[in-house]
Amino acid sequence: MAVEQIDIEKFLQLSQECFVFDVRSPEEYLHAHIPQAKSLPLFTDEQRKIIGTAYKQQSRQVAVKKGLEFFSERMRIIPPEVEEIINVNKGKNNNKVLVHCWRGGMRSGAVGWLLDLYGFKVYTLKGGYKSFRKWALDQFTKEYKIKILGGFTGSGKTDVLNEMHRKGKSVIDLENLANHKGSAFGSLGERAQPGQELFENLLALELFKNKKNDQGKDEIWMEDESRHIGSLGLPGTLWDQMRKSPVYFLEIPFKERLEYIVSTYGKFDKKMLVTSIMKIQKKLGGLETKNAINFLLEDNIEESFSILLRYYDKQYNNSLQKRENIEEVLNKIPCKTVDINNGKIFFSGEVRADD
């Protein structure tokens, strides 16, 4: 066998059935990576710095010599590490592996040679992570047929999208990718957010997957979001498309939404809720902030959240009305209530998840 270098399109195709190994340093991997890739560093962060310094201050030959010294230390360790990852993560081809580094140069070449020698069929990515990153950014310049699910806070939009996905619709859950619900309370119960670059990589793959595998359904459903989801920003070109896309607005009575919000966020620690309220103090106003916190501390969660819900209704309505073509894109769907049953959200009225 021989190591085969492939382009990004074939790489992505094979990644659905083969393990992907990122041989860059741990620091490079943590900053951002191809989402399905496993970290298999050829060099430690310190070793990479030593090689880089030798290249800049001495010569390429000296840097290569240093690299070979470090590589010799890893040669015995890398194949067992690959086997362990494959054994722990079942479900993919065990004989073929994909390997990449930053530019598709010496690091992926060295590890590819080693794994090929060991008996694997090895593919390396032409241009490395850099070529994937260019591909990812290109996805945001393409045109998509996007449909937006809108509604005031407490409408259960994420739950509806999840049900639509189960029914076979093409759905991208932006909040799930961002690990954030999008408001001042959005980080509650969530994992740490990914970095901006990794978020964009995840989103690019979702756009590619949904557009490619929609089985004739060319629309992609997304939730109506602000430009920023927590600390992460949606790519400008995609955001512009979202703002021009049709909005299917779930009209649910205030009381029903309030009950849903109380059941969803009322379980969190009061200190965490107070901290979240303080994040919007400037826009909420001093008196309303004080009242919301006092009601919360008095265990009157419903009154506290009622203040917050009115605030978010106003904010969302302002954002909605700023769309240039609001009269053309807004489709209101009257719904009587939000019914929670075994974790599934169904809306009574004219909208269903399978419509």
Side-chain angles (χ1 to χ4, degrees):
M1 290 188 291
V3 176
E4 183 179 343
Q5 193 174 62
I6 57 178
D7 62 23
I8 184 62
E9 293 293 337
K10 187 171 182 181
F11 185 90
L12 291 171
Q13 180 183 351
L14 286 175
S15 70
Q16 302 303 309
E17 60 183 78
C18 304
F19 285 94
V20 180
F21 292 99
D22 184 336
V23 301
R24 298 176 302 156
S25 69
E27 189 176 68
E28 291 174 286
Y29 180 85
L30 286 174
H31 171 71
H33 53 268
I34 299 175
Q36 66 265 46
K38 307 291 183 183
S39 180
L40 185 73
L42 176 57
F43 304 127
T44 65
D45 294 328
E46 184 59 32
Q47 288 171 340
R48 175 172 169 261
K49 290 176 183 176
I50 291 172
I51 294 169
T53 300
Y55 185 88
K56 291 179 181 178
Q57 297 183 359
Q58 294 175 277
S59 67
R60 184 177 187 275
Q61 288 76 14
V62 173
V64 170
K65 184 178 179 180
K66 285 284 185 185
L68 289 173
E69 290 175 4
F70 295 141
F71 180 43
S72 65
E73 299 172 5
R74 290 280 286 152
M75 286 182 70
R76 291 182 292 108
I77 301 173
I78 286 178
E81 286 183 354
V82 170
E83 287 185 320
E84 183 179 359
I85 290 172
I86 289 175
N87 289 333
V88 171
N89 302 273
K90 302 291 185 180
K92 290 195 174 184
N93 192 308
N94 293 345
N95 298 317
K96 296 179 182 179
V97 294
L98 305 175
V99 177
H100 78 85
C101 57
W102 169 241
R103 293 180 188 167
M106 287 188 288
R107 285 186 287 180
S108 60
V111 174
W113 167 82
L114 177 61
L115 294 179
D116 173 70
L117 188 66
Y118 197 73
F120 288 101
K121 172 55 185 173
V122 182
Y123 300 89
T124 58
L125 174 59
K126 184 178 180 180
Y129 174 78
K130 193 174 181 180
S131 68
F132 168 79
R133 181 61 181 159
K134 180 181 182 303
W135 173 89
L137 294 175
D138 286 345
Q139 303 312 300
F140 304 127
T141 66
K142 297 180 179 181
E143 291 290 328
Y144 301 94
K145 186 175 180 181
I146 298 173
K147 290 187 175 181
I148 300 296
L149 186 65
F152 290 128
T153 299
S155 298
K157 298 183 291 294
T158 299
D159 304 275
V160 171
L161 286 177
N162 289 338
E163 182 64 19
M164 291 172 70
H165 177 68
R166 286 191 288 270
K167 297 290 186 179
K169 301 289 186 181
S170 293
V171 172
I172 296 180
D173 188 343
L174 296 170
E175 294 181 354
N176 183 55
L177 295 179
N179 294 342
H180 201 282
K181 294 295 193 297
S183 70
F185 302 80
S187 63
L188 297 178
E190 296 288 338
R191 294 168 291 138
Q193 290 195 271
Q196 179 66 33
E197 188 171 318
L198 180 54
F199 171 67
E200 291 172 359
N201 291 348
L202 290 162
L203 179 53
L205 280 175
E206 284 296 305
L207 287 167
F208 174 72
K209 181 177 69 176
N210 279 280
K211 186 167 187 177
K212 182 180 179 182
N213 299 327
D214 55 19
Q215 299 177 344
K217 303 187 291 287
D218 61 351
E219 77 271 11
I220 300 176
W221 284 87
M222 300 181 190
E223 184 174 337
D224 201 6
E225 300 286 355
S226 300
R227 174 70 188 273
H228 288 88
I229 307 176
S231 63
L232 302 174
L234 290 168
T237 49
L238 180 64
W239 166 249
D240 290 340
Q241 286 193 56
M242 292 174 64
R243 295 293 285 180
K244 296 175 183 176
S245 299
V247 180
Y248 296 84
F249 186 91
L250 305 176
E251 283 193 318
I252 302 175
F254 183 90
K255 185 177 181 297
E256 301 297 328
R257 293 187 290 110
L258 178 59
E259 289 181 3
Y260 178 73
I261 288 297
V262 169
S263 68
T264 304
Y265 287 93
K267 61 186 178 183
F268 289 106
D269 181 81
K270 288 182 181 179
K271 290 182 180 179
M272 298 171 66
L273 291 171
V274 169
T275 299
S276 297
I277 293 172
M278 292 303 295
K279 291 178 182 178
I280 57 174
Q281 178 182 15
K282 187 174 181 180
K283 291 185 177 179
L284 183 60
L287 179 59
E288 292 287 61
T289 300
K290 180 181 177 181
N291 289 337
I293 292 176
N294 285 340
F295 281 129
L296 181 65
L297 297 178
E298 294 168 0
D299 289 326
N300 195 339
I301 297 175
E302 187 169 305
E303 283 299 324
S304 176
F305 283 12
S306 178
I307 293 172
L308 301 173
L309 197 58
R310 284 193 294 269
Y311 162 79
Y312 277 111
D313 283 0
K314 181 179 178 181
Q315 294 295 313
Y316 184 88
N317 190 57
N318 289 340
S319 175
L320 193 66
Q321 296 304 320
K322 286 180 181 178
R323 281 177 163 83
E324 294 180 5
N325 54 343
I326 184 62
E327 295 83 5
E328 300 173 15
V329 301
L330 184 61
N331 303 278
K332 293 184 178 181
I333 305 173
C335 307
K336 295 179 181 179
T337 186
V338 182
D339 182 35
I340 304 173
N341 179 27
N342 296 324
K344 295 182 179 180
I345 304 296
F346 296 96
F347 288 86
S348 62
E350 298 182 14
V351 64
R352 290 180 56 84
D354 55 352
D355 282 343

